[in-house]
Structure formats: C-alpha cells, structure tokens
C-alpha cells in the first residue's frame, strides 16, 4: 500500500490523530514508544517491550506462529496457535 492508500484508510476510519507514521524505521518507532508509552523498555535481546494494559483489542484468533521443524512438537497447534509458513513471514 502506498502513502495515499494508507491516508485514504485513515480518513475512512475517521481516526482522530495528530500524526501518522508510515513505513518508519525501527529506530523512530523505538524512540516514540520509549518517549510516550509508559512502561516501555528495550530488553536484553534488543526487542522493544511495551505494557499494553488489560484490554488491547487484539484477538487470540489472529495469532500466527512460524512453523519450524525444530520447534513444531513444542507448539500446541490448533484454533489459537495457527501455522504460518516461513515464506509468508518474510
């Protein structure tokens, strides 16, 4: 999707936002989270961790896990842990 398409979606949803970050580099997103999201931090692995609170609006049925032979037997595949092909992940 290009910038215009993204802005069309924002406008259709009537979102009340001051700024839209589109295809931003990871460093900018980290910076924004660390400045404005209470409880956010960079963990020892370098990943960004953010406390999302009690209600995040995410559906457990939207969860996907990349299928890998090495860990396939350790995952409870089914309705909640849905297989995602490695090529789709990239």
């Amino acid at each position: 999707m290009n910038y215009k398409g993204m802005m069309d979606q924002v406008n259709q949803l009537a979102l009340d936002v001051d700024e839209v970050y589109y295809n931003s580099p990871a460093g900018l997103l980290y910076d924004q989270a660390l400045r404005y999201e209470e409880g956010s931090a960079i963990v020892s692995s370098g990943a960004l961790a953010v406390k999302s609170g009690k209600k995040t609006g995410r559906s457990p049925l939207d969860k996907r896990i990349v299928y890998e032979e090495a860990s396939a037997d350790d995952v409870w595949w089914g309705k909640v842990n849905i297989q995602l092909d490695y090529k789709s992940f990239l």
Side-chain angles (χ1 to χ4, degrees), residues 1-84:
M1 174 183 310
N2 61 24
Y3 180 78
K4 182 182 179 324
M6 185 269 309
M7 288 306 298
D8 287 344
Q9 284 187 353
V10 169
N11 292 331
Q12 287 172 359
L13 295 170
L15 298 176
D16 184 19
V17 296
D18 293 328
E19 292 182 83
V20 174
Y21 294 91
Y22 178 72
N23 281 346
S24 300
L28 175 64
L29 300 176
Y30 271 52
D31 181 62
Q32 292 293 311
L34 294 169
R35 283 181 197 230
Y36 303 111
E37 295 295 329
E38 185 178 334
S40 64
I42 299 174
V43 297
S44 62
S45 68
L48 176 65
V50 181
K51 293 181 181 178
S52 60
K54 291 181 181 179
K55 297 182 180 179
T56 63
R58 292 178 178 86
S59 168
L61 299 180
D62 290 339
K63 184 177 173 185
R64 302 291 185 270
I65 299 176
V66 175
Y67 180 85
E68 295 179 308
E69 290 290 331
S71 60
D73 293 336
D74 298 324
V75 178
W76 293 359
W77 300 108
K79 187 175 179 182
V80 175
N81 294 325
I82 301 168
Q83 264 185 43
L84 177 68

